PDB file of all heavy atoms in Angstrom:
ATOM      1  N   PHE A 156      38.614 134.810 150.494  1.00 91.00           N
ATOM      2  CA  PHE A 156      37.699 135.693 149.812  1.00 91.00           C
ATOM      3  C   PHE A 156      38.332 136.244 148.453  1.00 91.00           C
ATOM      4  O   PHE A 156      37.727 136.168 147.396  1.00 91.00           O
ATOM      5  CB  PHE A 156      37.224 136.951 150.600  1.00 91.00           C
ATOM      6  CG  PHE A 156      36.251 137.884 149.939  1.00 91.00           C
ATOM      7  CD1 PHE A 156      34.907 137.467 149.965  1.00 91.00           C
ATOM      8  CD2 PHE A 156      36.719 138.966 149.279  1.00 91.00           C
ATOM      9  CE1 PHE A 156      34.015 138.327 149.228  1.00 91.00           C
ATOM     10  CE2 PHE A 156      35.726 139.736 148.665  1.00 91.00           C
ATOM     11  CZ  PHE A 156      34.432 139.543 148.650  1.00 91.00           C
ATOM     12  N   MET A 157      39.535 136.547 148.506  1.00 92.00           N
ATOM     13  CA  MET A 157      40.229 137.106 147.315  1.00 92.00           C
ATOM     14  C   MET A 157      40.447 135.871 146.280  1.00 92.00           C
ATOM     15  O   MET A 157      40.145 136.160 145.069  1.00 92.00           O
ATOM     16  CB  MET A 157      41.617 137.605 147.705  1.00 92.00           C
ATOM     17  CG  MET A 157      42.381 138.134 146.543  1.00 92.00           C
ATOM     18  SD  MET A 157      43.944 138.774 146.984  1.00 92.00           S
ATOM     19  CE  MET A 157      44.805 137.451 147.672  1.00 92.00           C
ATOM     20  N   LEU A 158      40.667 134.739 146.722  1.00 91.00           N
ATOM     21  CA  LEU A 158      40.821 133.521 145.828  1.00 91.00           C
ATOM     22  C   LEU A 158      39.516 133.265 145.202  1.00 91.00           C
ATOM     23  O   LEU A 158      39.473 133.029 143.960  1.00 91.00           O
ATOM     24  CB  LEU A 158      41.346 132.362 146.557  1.00 91.00           C
ATOM     25  CG  LEU A 158      42.797 132.499 147.034  1.00 91.00           C
ATOM     26  CD1 LEU A 158      43.193 131.146 147.757  1.00 91.00           C
ATOM     27  CD2 LEU A 158      43.679 132.606 145.803  1.00 91.00           C
ATOM     28  N   VAL A 159      38.438 133.280 145.944  1.00 91.00           N
ATOM     29  CA  VAL A 159      37.115 132.937 145.377  1.00 91.00           C
ATOM     30  C   VAL A 159      36.685 133.989 144.441  1.00 91.00           C
ATOM     31  O   VAL A 159      36.191 133.677 143.338  1.00 91.00           O
ATOM     32  CB  VAL A 159      36.013 132.789 146.465  1.00 91.00           C
ATOM     33  CG1 VAL A 159      34.669 132.497 145.935  1.00 91.00           C
ATOM     34  CG2 VAL A 159      36.400 131.463 147.235  1.00 91.00           C
ATOM     35  N   LEU A 160      36.967 135.270 144.806  1.00 92.00           N
ATOM     36  CA  LEU A 160      36.501 136.366 143.884  1.00 92.00           C
ATOM     37  C   LEU A 160      37.346 136.379 142.635  1.00 92.00           C
ATOM     38  O   LEU A 160      36.787 136.655 141.597  1.00 92.00           O
ATOM     39  CB  LEU A 160      36.738 137.649 144.704  1.00 92.00           C
ATOM     40  CG  LEU A 160      36.296 138.976 143.865  1.00 92.00           C
ATOM     41  CD1 LEU A 160      34.839 138.938 143.621  1.00 92.00           C
ATOM     42  CD2 LEU A 160      36.650 140.165 144.711  1.00 92.00           C
ATOM     43  N   ALA A 161      38.592 136.033 142.674  1.00 93.00           N
ATOM     44  CA  ALA A 161      39.373 135.883 141.486  1.00 93.00           C
ATOM     45  C   ALA A 161      38.928 134.904 140.546  1.00 93.00           C
ATOM     46  O   ALA A 161      38.732 135.069 139.360  1.00 93.00           O
ATOM     47  CB  ALA A 161      40.852 135.561 141.842  1.00 93.00           C
ATOM     48  N   ARG A 162      38.449 133.740 141.063  1.00 91.00           N
ATOM     49  CA  ARG A 162      37.893 132.721 140.191  1.00 91.00           C
ATOM     50  C   ARG A 162      36.599 133.028 139.561  1.00 91.00           C
ATOM     51  O   ARG A 162      36.312 132.887 138.432  1.00 91.00           O
ATOM     52  CB  ARG A 162      37.786 131.234 140.924  1.00 91.00           C
ATOM     53  CG  ARG A 162      37.372 130.149 140.053  1.00 91.00           C
ATOM     54  CD  ARG A 162      37.273 128.893 140.683  1.00 91.00           C
ATOM     55  NE  ARG A 162      38.516 128.427 140.930  1.00 91.00           N
ATOM     56  CZ  ARG A 162      38.688 127.102 141.290  1.00 91.00           C
ATOM     57  NH1 ARG A 162      37.805 126.267 141.346  1.00 91.00           N
ATOM     58  NH2 ARG A 162      39.920 126.643 141.530  1.00 91.00           N
ATOM     59  N   PHE A 163      35.681 133.497 140.340  1.00 90.00           N
ATOM     60  CA  PHE A 163      34.284 133.720 140.013  1.00 90.00           C
ATOM     61  C   PHE A 163      34.353 134.965 139.173  1.00 90.00           C
ATOM     62  O   PHE A 163      33.476 135.064 138.144  1.00 90.00           O
ATOM     63  CB  PHE A 163      33.293 133.785 141.149  1.00 90.00           C
ATOM     64  CG  PHE A 163      32.080 133.885 140.692  1.00 90.00           C
ATOM     65  CD1 PHE A 163      31.377 132.718 140.335  1.00 90.00           C
ATOM     66  CD2 PHE A 163      31.231 135.056 140.691  1.00 90.00           C
ATOM     67  CE1 PHE A 163      29.990 132.608 139.808  1.00 90.00           C
ATOM     68  CE2 PHE A 163      29.920 135.064 140.224  1.00 90.00           C
ATOM     69  CZ  PHE A 163      29.310 133.844 139.727  1.00 90.00           C
ATOM     70  N   GLY A 164      35.147 135.983 139.441  1.00 89.00           N
ATOM     71  CA  GLY A 164      35.179 137.188 138.635  1.00 89.00           C
ATOM     72  C   GLY A 164      35.611 136.904 137.229  1.00 89.00           C
ATOM     73  O   GLY A 164      35.240 137.507 136.339  1.00 89.00           O
ATOM     74  N   ALA A 165      36.650 135.988 137.169  1.00 90.00           N
ATOM     75  CA  ALA A 165      37.176 135.753 135.852  1.00 90.00           C
ATOM     76  C   ALA A 165      36.103 134.896 135.046  1.00 90.00           C
ATOM     77  O   ALA A 165      35.899 135.063 133.822  1.00 90.00           O
ATOM     78  CB  ALA A 165      38.487 134.876 135.882  1.00 90.00           C
ATOM     79  N   ALA A 166      35.422 134.067 135.692  1.00 88.00           N
ATOM     80  CA  ALA A 166      34.360 133.218 135.050  1.00 88.00           C
ATOM     81  C   ALA A 166      33.208 134.183 134.625  1.00 88.00           C
ATOM     82  O   ALA A 166      32.474 133.871 133.596  1.00 88.00           O
ATOM     83  CB  ALA A 166      33.826 132.095 135.922  1.00 88.00           C
ATOM     84  N   MET A 167      32.842 135.186 135.494  1.00 85.00           N
ATOM     85  CA  MET A 167      31.824 136.111 135.150  1.00 85.00           C
ATOM     86  C   MET A 167      32.113 136.830 133.911  1.00 85.00           C
ATOM     87  O   MET A 167      31.191 137.179 133.182  1.00 85.00           O
ATOM     88  CB  MET A 167      31.556 137.056 136.349  1.00 85.00           C
ATOM     89  CG  MET A 167      30.587 138.152 136.096  1.00 85.00           C
ATOM     90  SD  MET A 167      28.930 137.815 136.609  1.00 85.00           S
ATOM     91  CE  MET A 167      29.065 137.296 138.201  1.00 85.00           C
TER      92      MET A 167
END
Side-chain angles (χ1 to χ4, degrees):
F156 180 82
M157 183 179 62
L158 289 178
V159 174
L160 183 63
R162 181 181 289 196
F163 192 74
M167 172 93 50

